[in-house]
Amino acid sequence: CGYVEGDDIGDVAAEALLNPAKHRGKAYDLTGPEALTVADVSEEISNVLGRRITFTNVTPDERRRSLLSHHMPDWAVTDICELEGLQRQGYMKNVTNTVQEVLGCPATSFRANAAHLASAWRI
């Protein structure tokens, strides 16, 4: 998945709002600069936290049961499971340079974003 950083999304949105004529009628596919697996993300988070974070791959049925056991609404569980299914099938591994094209600077890497958020993740 090409995880995109929230500030990049906000910056692209601000650019579109501040310069509407330039962006009128356009749709943007925003991604981060690299395609990462959930295991890659776990590794990056482990690196910035200085402790091991692991990802355990579960079947779609196990995931659904787990989410429902935590009292998530059925509609949210369905949406999450559908997105995870698309990711497993490879539909979300595309990476674009749209952030660079719109803002003139590269998209923020997951590593940089993880380092920025590390203090909020420390428990």
Side-chain angles (χ1 to χ4, degrees), residues 74-114:
D74 191 56
W75 64 266
V77 171
T78 297
D79 287 354
I80 289 168
C81 290
E82 286 177 4
L83 285 171
E84 288 179 352
L86 291 171
Q87 186 174 12
R88 275 192 306 279
Q89 295 171 34
Y91 288 108
M92 299 174 73
K93 64 182 175 184
N94 70 312
V95 173
T96 69
N97 63 350
T98 308
V99 172
Q100 171 79 42
E101 290 172 355
V102 173
L103 300 177
C105 60
T108 305
S109 69
F110 186 86
R111 175 176 288 161
N113 189 42

Side-chain angles (χ1 to χ4, degrees), residues 7-28:
D7 285 347
D8 288 345
I9 296 169
D11 290 346
V12 169
E15 164 60 25
L17 290 169
L18 292 170
N19 298 291
K22 183 176 174 184
H23 303 281
R24 185 168 283 116
K26 295 183 179 178
Y28 295 116

Side-chain angles (χ1 to χ4, degrees), residues 35-66:
L36 301 171
T37 66
V38 180
D40 295 331
V41 168
S42 298
E43 185 67 30
E44 291 293 344
I45 294 172
S46 296
N47 290 339
V48 300
L49 293 181
R51 65 184 172 96
R52 189 82 184 126
I53 303 294
T54 59
F55 166 71
T56 303
N57 197 15
V58 296
T59 68
D61 287 338
E62 290 170 322
R63 180 69 166 149
R64 173 174 280 288
R65 282 194 302 274
S66 174

